[in-house]
Amino acid sequence: MTILLLSGSPSSPSRSARLLNFIGERLNELGQRTVSLHVRDLPAQALLHADFSDPELLAAKALLAKAEAIVIATPIYKAAYSGLLKSFLDILPQDGLDGKIVLPVATGGSQSHMLALDYGLRPVLAALSARHILSSIYATDSQVVWTDGQGLQLDDAISRRVQDGTHLLLDSLVSLQRGKPAGQAVQSPILNGLPC
């Protein structure tokens, strides 16, 4: 199994990318193979002009296509996920996430931006035919702190959400491989026929 760690942050380093890397390390410790894709590393001209012939964009799309699951991380700006991430999602085909399990992760300045995941990102992931969209992990800037001496320090509540999210992701992958409905995975509202 391959899990893609997809970072939509335009800056480096960033809280959302560090949180994504932390989740990736936990998945590696649990025996999973992860690969990383940072949208900011893709050629901006090709991305903004949707140059589908660009070799780097083709390679990025192929990497996504091979993954069984995706952990997608973004900062929240002005109550929305990053424009950089939107540019990448826009170049994917309509079924670009078909059959995939997705764990959305975001960081923002305050709890008031938390719903950007549910009302902004989740419908786009569903429109791209994600099989299951798991419960999101949202952290405020004060809950994800980086220091050169201690590295990444997570608030206890976020640490628990990360643990729960990684285990749910793995349980969902195992269920998917066995051909059973993913245990407690939250199906996309659109796939369930429910309003977003």
Side-chain angles (χ1 to χ4, degrees):
M1 288 186 287
T2 300
I3 300 171
L4 177 64
L5 306 175
L6 178 62
S7 173
S9 177
S11 58
S12 176
S14 73
R15 283 183 178 86
S16 63
R18 283 178 168 148
L19 182 56
L20 179 64
N21 290 340
F22 182 86
I23 292 169
E25 289 168 5
R26 300 293 79 76
L27 289 167
N28 294 152
E29 289 170 3
L30 293 168
Q32 301 305 305
R33 181 176 175 267
T34 60
V35 293
S36 296
L37 173 61
H38 297 274
V39 179
R40 71 172 176 273
D41 294 336
L42 297 174
Q45 189 79 1
L47 193 60
L48 292 176
H49 290 280
D51 181 358
F52 297 109
S53 65
D54 182 87
E56 290 185 60
L57 292 190
L58 289 172
K61 289 166 70 175
L63 199 60
L64 186 141
K66 290 178 186 173
E68 285 86 8
I70 302 163
V71 182
I72 185 168
T74 179
I76 301 297
Y77 299 126
K78 298 193 174 34
Y81 61 97
S82 77
L84 183 65
L85 179 59
K86 177 76 164 83
S87 296
F88 180 72
L89 295 176
D90 283 349
I91 67 166
L92 298 179
Q94 187 68 38
D95 61 350
L97 298 179
D98 187 34
K100 306 209 183 296
I101 297 167
V102 183
L103 174 60
V105 176
T107 58
S110 72
Q111 290 291 343
S112 62
H113 296 298
M114 183 170 49
L115 292 178
L117 285 168
D118 289 332
Y119 293 106
L121 184 58
R122 188 174 291 271
V124 174
L125 300 175
L128 289 168
S129 302
R131 181 181 183 111
H132 295 287
I133 305 170
L134 305 178
S135 296
S136 306
I137 299 171
Y138 178 84
T140 63
D141 293 348
S142 63
Q143 293 175 310
V144 181
V145 178
W146 174 268
T147 61
D148 289 333
Q150 296 183 335
L152 188 66
Q153 301 296 307
L154 299 182
D155 175 88
D156 287 344
I158 298 305
S159 186
R160 283 192 300 275
R161 294 289 309 266
V162 166
Q163 182 176 344
D164 292 346
T166 54
H167 283 106
L168 181 55
L169 177 62
L170 296 181
D171 289 347
S172 298
L173 279 169
V174 169
S175 295
L176 185 62
Q177 286 185 330
R178 292 179 180 161
K180 298 177 183 176
Q184 298 177 11
V186 178
Q187 269 200 318
S188 132
I190 290 176
L191 296 178
N192 275 342
L194 301 173
C196 294

